[in-house]
Amino acid sequence: MANFNTHLNGAFIVSGTLGLTVYKAGFIDDAGFLMCVALGTMGGLLPDLDSDNSTPIKIGFNVVSFVFAFALVMHWRSEFSLLALIALWLAGYGFMRYVVFYVFTNMTVHRGVIHSVPYMAILGIGLTCLNYYGLDYSLTTSWFYGLFLFGGAMVHLLLDELYSVDLMGARLKRSSGTAMKIYQHKDRWWYLLLYVILAILIYFAPPFEAFWQQLSDPTAWAQLKLGLWPQTLKSWLN
């Protein structure tokens, strides 16, 4: 299994390369490029949320706990005293960081249903729907954000599968096939639920055909081709 740094760097490199490509083709602006790279890199860490001792789950729960505690204080700031707000902040943080974290880690198994393709597809399409319907982002931006999150997660799963191959011994390790899963019979009811949720999200997702038409527009790719090589190199080649 690949380690944290490998997942982080792999997702960042792939997301950065693809992000620059669609940015130079004119599909996204400066802010969209940065967000695509950030989401792709974040997606590269998501599958390890089911690992009790992984760096992503620890960082993630710390961030969520701080945000939750801050939201509680902001909501009740005009009604509670200073000492009460401090107590509320500590209670909110402690509840998320220790109680919810304990429940989550005891309910999940590493490389279980979270560490699977359909689960990551749900997160990707779910983000697309949230951006398009909830945040009023454009169709193109919404799909790019969701696809980059999903793509980063696929980089993670692919790296785990590659690391399950012992090239020196020309054999598969015991972990082979446990990373990029689309189904496991022992978790069949969980997978049934995942695919039902995925089907619902696909049904309500923004129109992909319109996004694909924009993506396959030859004008954009012709623009990218013109700016593919540095001017000095093109002059030298000609």
Side-chain angles (χ1 to χ4, degrees), residues 18-29 140 144 210-228:
L18 293 177
L20 275 173
T21 301
V22 296
Y23 171 69
K24 291 292 290 183
F27 292 112
I28 53 176
D29 57 14
T140 304
F144 269 128
F211 168 71
W212 181 254
Q213 288 178 350
Q214 290 181 319
L215 195 62
S216 57
D217 182 2
T219 305
W221 299 111
Q223 174 183 330
L224 176 64
K225 186 177 180 180
L226 289 175
L228 184 62

Side-chain angles (χ1 to χ4, degrees), residues 1-15 40-48 55-56 111 151-164:
M1 181 174 63
N3 59 26
F4 174 78
N5 287 330
T6 302
H7 287 311
L8 181 68
N9 294 329
F12 176 75
I13 291 171
V14 173
S15 300
T41 305
M42 185 187 305
L45 305 178
L46 284 178
D48 274 349
T55 303
R111 294 209 172 186
M154 291 302 98
V155 171
H156 178 115
L157 299 182
L158 179 60
L159 284 171
D160 276 349
E161 286 294 351
L162 291 176
Y163 271 72
S164 69

Side-chain angles (χ1 to χ4, degrees), residues 85-120:
L85 288 175
I86 294 174
L88 180 65
W89 192 91
L90 292 174
Y93 176 82
F95 173 75
M96 289 297 298
R97 180 61 183 85
Y98 299 104
V99 178
V100 177
F101 178 77
Y102 176 81
V103 173
F104 180 84
T105 53
N106 278 274
M107 289 181 63
T108 56
V109 178
H110 187 42
R111 294 209 172 186
V113 293
I114 291 179
H115 207 282
S116 69
V117 175
Y119 191 93
M120 294 302 128

Side-chain angles (χ1 to χ4, degrees), residues 8-196:
L8 181 68
N9 294 329
F12 176 75
I13 291 171
V14 173
S15 300
T17 302
L18 293 177
L20 275 173
T21 301
V22 296
Y23 171 69
K24 291 292 290 183
F27 292 112
I28 53 176
D29 57 14
D30 296 358
F33 162 66
L34 294 175
M35 184 59 70
C36 282
V37 177
L39 288 170
T41 305
M42 185 187 305
L45 305 178
L46 284 178
D48 274 349
L49 287 179
D50 59 0
S51 178
D52 297 357
N53 297 312
S54 71
T55 303
I57 188 63
K58 292 178 180 178
I59 295 176
F61 261 95
N62 277 328
V63 172
V64 170
S65 300
F66 277 118
V67 172
F68 179 75
F70 181 74
L72 288 178
V73 171
M74 293 302 296
H75 182 75
W76 299 102
R77 66 187 183 280
S78 60
E79 300 182 34
F80 288 176
S81 65
L82 175 61
L83 291 178
L85 288 175
I86 294 174
L88 180 65
W89 192 91
L90 292 174
Y93 176 82
F95 173 75
M96 289 297 298
R97 180 61 183 85
Y98 299 104
V99 178
V100 177
F101 178 77
Y102 176 81
V103 173
F104 180 84
T105 53
N106 278 274
M107 289 181 63
T108 56
V109 178
H110 187 42
R111 294 209 172 186
V113 293
I114 291 179
H115 207 282
S116 69
V117 175
Y119 191 93
M120 294 302 128
I122 287 173
L123 295 183
I125 299 180
L127 178 62
T128 299
C129 293
L130 174 64
N131 289 330
Y132 187 73
Y133 297 115
L135 302 178
D136 293 325
Y137 286 163
S138 69
L139 177 72
T140 304
T141 299
S142 299
W143 271 112
F144 269 128
Y145 286 0
L147 287 173
F148 267 82
L149 185 74
F150 175 72
M154 291 302 98
V155 171
H156 178 115
L157 299 182
L158 179 60
L159 284 171
D160 276 349
E161 286 294 351
L162 291 176
Y163 271 72
S164 69
V165 179
D166 183 358
L167 296 178
M168 298 300 294
R171 64 181 180 85
L172 296 178
K173 299 178 182 177
R174 292 181 60 185
S175 59
S176 178
T178 64
M180 192 170 285
K181 300 187 298 292
I182 59 174
Y183 176 78
Q184 271 193 322
H185 187 69
K186 67 183 182 68
D187 294 322
R188 57 189 178 278
W189 298 115
W190 283 112
Y191 276 95
L192 175 62
L193 177 61
L194 288 182
Y195 280 112
V196 168

